[in-house]
Amino acid sequence: FFSSAFCSPRTMARNHEKAQAMLNRWQRIKKDMEKDVSLRPYLASECKDLSDAERWRRDVMKEASRKISEIQNASLGEYRIRELNDEINKLLREKGHWERRIIELG
């Protein structure tokens, strides 16, 4: 049924599986490289470098933005909304700490 000029469906599927496996492996490696192994300091005053302080402030803002967009979901229950609101308030307070630290370092 298949001539030698064409690949059999089995070979095509195998090549596709190989390509998918390579893509998955590449994406996993890329994701691992992007991860920052250092954790945000518990206290902003522990940070001694201006660029690190700015990075942590950006990190806090990203996290707060994610939670703000999540809280706008109308299908959330009251308990979850209150929980998210508390977390957002905590992050905004932490953002203020980082901003004060940036001013101290800068």
Side-chain angles (χ1 to χ4, degrees), residues 2 10 29 39 50 82 87 90 93:
F2 289 99
R10 182 182 202 126
I29 290 170
L39 297 174
L50 178 62
R82 288 181 185 276
E87 292 171 5
K90 179 183 171 200
R93 196 168 39 251

Side-chain angles (χ1 to χ4, degrees), residues 64 67-68 71 84-93:
K67 290 183 189 260
I68 289 169
I71 205 170
L84 280 171
N85 188 50
D86 291 344
E87 292 171 5
I88 291 168
N89 288 336
K90 179 183 171 200
L91 287 168
L92 293 179
R93 196 168 39 251

Side-chain angles (χ1 to χ4, degrees), residues 40-52:
R40 188 166 61 221
Y42 182 72
L43 297 174
S45 58
E46 293 175 355
C47 183
K48 305 295 181 198
D49 187 34
L50 178 62
S51 62
D52 284 343

